[in-house]
Structure formats: structure tokens, C-alpha cells
Amino acid sequence: MRTVFEAVAEHLPMSALLAQEPGVADFADPGQVRSVLTSAGFEAVTATGFETMSVLGRDPADAGDFLFAAHLRSVVTGADPTAVRRAHHAVQEVLRSYESGGEIRIPAHGWLYSAVWLP
């Protein structure tokens, strides 16, 4: 997603994305998650990294529409429509390199957390 965010940042300020309400990105830091779970009484907290391929859409336009409606919504809300169109076009260009077999598939990185809670 880094290349997608870089393409958007050439046309729109990304500060809105960084200031989002708590969400799924909060689980990206194993230390933070471990601290929260430990504070809640969990023990034996582990974090196992993984990578998978994420399907974003059928083609660059479809995948771009999905990203702008979901992950990038806070960036485009209220933004200059011309800048949004330019950013959308730039994202589509980036996504072309991930097109294969009628899908846009990009690597997605994440963490699988495990913990034990003993009452």
C-alpha cells in the first residue's frame, strides 16, 4: 500500500489519513497490542507476522474506487475534486502493475495475535 499512498500524497494531503479515529491500523504495532492485552489481564501474548495477497477489485478503476471509498475516504472527503481525480488516476496507474487474471492483487501484511486469559 505504500506505493498507493505515495501516489495519493502527490496530489492530496495525507494528514487526514494519519489522524483517523481508532481502527484496524491500531493492530499494526505488536508492542501496543501486547500492552493493551496484558493490561486487560491476558497472558502469553504472541504476535505472528503474515503476508497474503489481498484482492482490491477487478481492474485498476474498480480497485481505485474501492480504496477511495474505504481506506482513503478521510483523505478525499472535502478535498478539491480536481486533485481527487488526479490522485485517483495516479492510484490506477500504480495498481496496473498488480493486475493479474482479472483481479488487482496486492501484498497485505498483518499480525495474528494469540493470548490466554485465565479468570
Side-chain angles (χ1 to χ4, degrees), residues 5-14 68 75 79-80 82-91:
F5 292 154
E6 288 171 354
V8 172
E10 291 179 20
H11 304 281
L12 295 167
M14 295 293 285
F68 276 69
V75 174
D80 173 56
T82 301
V84 171
R85 280 193 300 277
R86 287 182 184 141
H88 199 289
H89 178 73
V91 165

Side-chain angles (χ1 to χ4, degrees), residues 3-9 11 60 63-65 67-68 72 85-96 98:
T3 56
V4 169
F5 292 154
E6 288 171 354
V8 172
H11 304 281
D65 289 345
L67 289 172
F68 276 69
L72 298 168
R85 280 193 300 277
R86 287 182 184 141
H88 199 289
H89 178 73
V91 165
Q92 288 180 49
E93 290 303 312
V94 167
L95 293 174
R96 287 188 201 294
Y98 296 100

Side-chain angles (χ1 to χ4, degrees), residues 27-89:
F27 296 98
D29 179 357
Q32 177 186 355
V33 173
R34 188 174 291 110
S35 175
V36 169
L37 290 174
T38 302
S39 295
F42 287 87
E43 299 176 7
V45 179
T46 63
T48 305
F50 71 90
E51 182 176 308
T52 187
M53 295 304 285
S54 180
V55 177
L56 297 181
R58 296 178 307 273
D59 56 41
D62 184 44
D65 289 345
F66 167 72
L67 289 172
F68 276 69
H71 300 294
L72 298 168
R73 181 178 39 204
S74 64
V75 174
V76 299
T77 300
D80 173 56
T82 301
V84 171
R85 280 193 300 277
R86 287 182 184 141
H88 199 289
H89 178 73

Side-chain angles (χ1 to χ4, degrees), residues 7-28:
V8 172
E10 291 179 20
H11 304 281
L12 295 167
M14 295 293 285
S15 57
L17 184 65
L18 300 174
Q20 281 185 342
E21 295 295 318
V24 71
D26 291 340
F27 296 98

